[in-house]
Structure formats: structure tokens, C-alpha cells
Amino acid sequence: MQLSKDGRKWRIGAAAEVEWIAGHTTAGISITTAIPPIFDAYATTHQPDGITVAAYEHALVQDLTAQTPDQPWWLAYLDTGPHDIVFPRAPRVSLYWNWPYVLVEAGPEQALTWRTGHMRHGDGSLPDLFFPADRSWLVSALWDDTWTCLGGPEPLINTLQQNPLANAHRVRPDEDALPPGLTRE
């Protein structure tokens, strides 16, 4: 299925595009609640104090783009009801605890511009979950968390850790994913 936006048709994803995630995460407080335990390295990230949402999101996407060969990205928007899902008429895919997501094949530019606000940062634009077509990394922010989880290759996690705007904190798969200085709500 394809839907139009910005004068172009975009491919809407189905369960097959996320089968590698669905059913491969574990309930709990570790990073594998959001990210399947298949990557070389893991980290959590959140907007640093004193930095705008736009600066944080741009830094994160810039580092992801720099570490990824040119290819489409899958962007997923969680349908919570009041939050922007970009394509409201698109079919949904189920992830995690049967949460409905709209999944669309696009890229980093759309990840930074399509959404008009989300639940973690009222004025942020990033999708709730996204990954490149080659599945070399995954970024996922669960509905009830104020941080974002990442899994990917060591060089990507190292790059994110070195960027103060990305504010990444490395975690092990069996470790609590809660970033230092944050609390669970």
C-alpha cells in the first residue's frame, strides 16, 4: 500500500517489516524491553538539560545518518489517539504489547519533519520507532518512557556516546535501561 504526502507516494509497511522485532523483546526494565537482543551494542538517550528538542533530535539523526549507508528508513508512529501519526488512514502493525503503529518507508529528513509533536517532547518530531532498511540499528521509545533506546553496531554507539547533544549512555542487554539522572514515572 502507498499513501501520498508532500507530493509523493510513500510505502506503508506491514507486519513483515517488523517481524524481526515483534515477539523478540522481553518484558521488564532492561533495554531488551524495547530492542531485540540481536545487536553488538546498546544505549539509551534523552534530551540533555539546556538543549532544545530540535538540537537533540537533529544530533541523533545526524549521527545515525553518518553511520548508515544511503538507504530508506522505516519510521513508525505509535497510535495513542491524541498524538500525530502522520498517516491517520494507514493500516497499523502491532508491536510490543499489541500497540498499534503506523509504519512508513521514508528517510532521515522525514523523521525530522513529518510529525508535529509527540508524547515525550510536545514539540518534537521523531518517530516512536525507526530503523534503516538493512536493520543495522533500531531506535525505539516506548510509550511510558521519557528516554529512547538504541541497539546497533559498536561504532554507532561509540559515536553517539561522544556527542554531548545525543546524550547517549551505553547499557548492557541485561541492565536496567533507565538513564542516569532520570526516574520512572
Side-chain angles (χ1 to χ4, degrees):
M1 175 180 203
Q2 293 188 338
L3 291 175
S4 295
K5 183 170 181 60
D6 302 333
R8 181 175 163 190
K9 290 200 181 274
W10 302 92
R11 183 175 161 214
I12 302 300
E17 280 75 45
V18 293
E19 56 77 26
W20 65 283
I21 304 167
H24 299 282
T25 56
T26 58
I29 60 171
S30 73
I31 199 153
T32 58
T33 302
I35 309 291
I38 59 172
F39 293 104
D40 293 335
Y42 299 86
T44 57
T45 179
H46 63 93
Q47 178 185 349
D49 292 336
I51 302 298
T52 67
V53 173
Y56 162 69
E57 291 184 345
H58 281 267
L60 183 62
V61 169
Q62 182 177 21
D63 285 348
L64 291 166
T65 302
Q67 294 286 318
T68 307
D70 189 29
Q71 62 188 293
W73 288 12
W74 284 103
L75 313 179
Y77 301 93
L78 177 60
D79 187 355
T80 62
H83 299 102
D84 183 18
I85 56 171
V86 182
F87 291 93
R89 290 183 169 60
R92 312 303 195 256
V93 296
S94 289
L95 285 171
Y96 305 113
W97 296 270
N98 292 318
W99 295 347
Y101 287 81
V102 170
L103 182 66
V104 60
E105 187 179 47
E109 179 183 340
Q110 292 76 31
L112 286 168
T113 60
W114 271 355
R115 184 177 250 176
T116 57
H118 58 70
M119 62 194 125
R120 278 167 305 288
H121 309 288
D123 55 352
S125 60
L126 286 183
D128 300 295
L129 180 144
F130 54 106
F131 58 91
D134 69 4
R135 303 175 184 175
S136 58
W137 50 260
L138 172 63
V139 174
S140 180
L142 298 180
W143 187 0
D144 50 354
D145 291 340
T146 57
W147 62 89
T148 299
C149 296
L150 300 109
E154 286 281 345
L156 171 61
I157 300 303
N158 291 339
T159 296
L160 291 167
Q161 278 190 283
Q162 293 169 11
N163 184 342
L165 294 178
N167 197 29
H169 172 75
R170 184 181 293 266
V171 295
R172 293 182 315 272
D174 60 344
E175 189 176 6
D176 187 341
L178 182 67
L182 295 185
T183 57
R184 286 195 169 76
E185 295 182 9

